[in-house]
Structure formats: structure tokens, C-alpha cells
Amino acid sequence: GAGVSQSPRYKVTKRGQDVALRCDPISGHVSLYWYRQALGQGPEFLTYFNYEAQQDKSGLPNDRFSAERPEGSISTLTIQRTEQRDSAMYRCASSLGGDEQFFGPGTRLTVL
Amino acid sequence: QKEVEQNSGPLSVPEGAIASLNCTYSDRGSQSFFWYRQYSGKSPELIMFIYSNGDKEDGRFTAQLNKASQYVSLLIRDSQPSDSATYLCAVNIYSGGGADGLTFGKGTHLIIQP
């Protein structure tokens, strides 16, 4: 079966632009997670959803970051007014609602 | 503040030997513990999880958990060059909403020498 997919795989944008990163979880997975991973570091938790409900957004760095999952499947992470410090790999993971999270390939964001 | 600590390495182990990877965590409320393997340029891949004190074996991998010492480890027996990767330790705490996001360590870079 298909795994977690993310698009785009690479995104280059200019400082000040808004970007939207998409995650399509494994079919039937209830929970969806967003992480950010800097080079040489482990993934850093941003936010997660159970179905369409956002359960925890404590990891979002500031109010420029937001996420939604309106129909309980595909999710979008939006970063407004991007800054160079936002450059990182953004990873999405999904799970059946238990602990085992399966990661997608990530979106490499570069802010110039 | 939840913290997960790992030695970043690199840890160099001869082929065929046992690789031992260690992790400590700060929050006594942590309930679930995970080891992910991440090859360079790839996404993390779950290889083991453990919930209870003691050992859990899966093929060449053994996870060990000691909640009193807030310590979790991963042993890889008969190490192969293909085991060379970064190994990420992660912990989870349940909230009222179910399984929370994971808190990861920085990872240990393991090199298996042929």
C-alpha cells in the first residue's frame, strides 16, 4: 500500500512569501503529525491532528505557522511571511491512533 | 520541558560485533519509547518500540527500558554495514487526546566497519 506522501518535495521561496506544504497520510490513519528537522538534529514536533481536530499545536514556533486537516485526511502546513530561519526539512507522519508513526519523505524548504 | 539525550557519535563498531546505543529522557511521565533509523537523506524508519521495563527482542535488535533510571537502549547484534545510519531515540507521553507527538533526541551516528 502507499505510504505517507508529501508535496512538494522541494520548495524554494523568497523571504516574505507564504508557503503551503501538503501531507497525504496512509489511508485510514487517524492521526497526523507535523515535524521540522534541521540538519544533524532529530525531528522537532510542531502539531498533530486526530481526524480533523487539531489536538496540540504547542510546537508551532510562532503565529506565522498554522495547520489544518479539514476533512480528516490531507493536511496543509502553512507558513506565512517566511524567514530564512524557517529553512528546514518539514516531515509529516501518520498513525492509526496508537504510537507507531510512519514518516513521509519530507519537504525541503529553502527560504532565500 | 521534555528532553531526550543521545551521544551524537560517531560510534564505530566492527562488522559482526554488537552495537550499543543509549538514550536518556527527562520526563518521568514518558510512557512509550521508540527507536528510529535514518539513512542519510532519507526519512526516519521505525525499527523498535517498547513500553514496559525490561528487554524486547526483534531479530537482531533488542530494546531495553529502565524507567527508574529513565534510560532506554538499543542493541544491534551481528552488526552489518547496512546498519550504518543515524539512530533516533524518541519518547511519547499520552495526553487526554491520545498519543502525542514524539520528542526526539539528536540521534547517534553509527558506523559499521567492514
Side-chain angles (χ1 to χ4, degrees):
Chain A
V4 178
S5 62
Q6 292 185 244
S7 62
R9 294 292 307 277
Y10 303 90
K11 178 69 177 179
V12 180
T13 190
K14 292 183 178 179
R15 183 168 49 93
Q17 297 294 307
D18 298 350
V19 295
L21 312 180
R22 172 185 164 126
C23 173
D24 196 347
I26 295 172
S27 178
H29 276 198
V30 168
S31 301
L32 184 149
Y33 304 81
W34 284 99
Y35 295 87
R36 179 171 67 176
Q37 187 172 19
L39 202 61
Q41 303 291 317
E44 171 194 14
F45 170 73
L46 297 177
T47 186
Y48 88 99
F49 296 82
N50 284 339
Y51 299 100
E52 73 282 357
Q54 191 169 19
Q55 297 293 332
D56 182 358
K57 55 182 181 180
S58 63
L60 296 176
N62 51 60
D63 60 7
R64 296 186 296 105
F65 288 73
S66 63
E68 63 175 8
R69 194 187 185 197
E71 297 180 358
S73 179
I74 293 169
S75 177
T76 303
L77 176 70
T78 301
I79 309 173
Q80 296 178 313
R81 305 181 303 282
T82 53
E83 301 178 4
Q84 286 187 327
R85 60 178 172 159
D86 299 333
S87 296
M89 179 70 82
Y90 288 82
R91 298 196 184 275
C92 173
S94 70
S95 78
L96 279 169
D99 288 322
E100 299 171 55
Q101 298 181 22
F102 299 88
F103 281 81
T107 295
R108 169 73 67 186
L109 175 66
T110 301
V111 182
L112 301 177
Chain B
Q1 182 73 19
K2 293 176 270 188
E3 292 184 353
V4 176
E5 298 290 337
Q6 294 182 258
N7 188 323
S8 61
L11 174 64
S12 186
V13 174
E15 182 176 358
I18 295 175
S20 177
L21 304 161
N22 305 313
C23 170
T24 58
Y25 59 95
S26 62
D27 196 322
R28 287 194 172 273
S30 301
Q31 299 183 8
S32 309
F33 307 86
F34 304 84
W35 284 100
Y36 281 80
R37 177 175 64 199
Q38 187 171 26
Y39 293 115
S40 181
K42 301 297 184 181
S43 58
E45 171 193 11
L46 180 65
I47 54 172
M48 288 285 290
F49 60 88
I50 186 167
Y51 304 140
S52 304
N53 278 328
D55 294 1
K56 179 181 178 182
E57 186 174 321
D58 184 1
R60 296 187 296 113
F61 299 95
T62 299
Q64 299 175 319
L65 174 61
N66 184 325
K67 289 187 178 180
S69 299
Q70 296 176 236
Y71 178 93
V72 58
S73 64
L74 179 70
L75 302 178
I76 306 174
R77 289 181 299 280
D78 187 24
S79 297
Q80 303 296 310
S82 60
D83 295 326
S84 297
T86 295
Y87 288 80
L88 298 161
C89 174
V91 303
N92 197 353
I93 301 176
Y94 284 99
S95 70
D100 277 351
L102 299 174
T103 300
F104 283 86
K106 292 183 178 181
T108 297
H109 184 204
L110 175 66
I111 299 171
I112 306 300
Q113 295 178 320

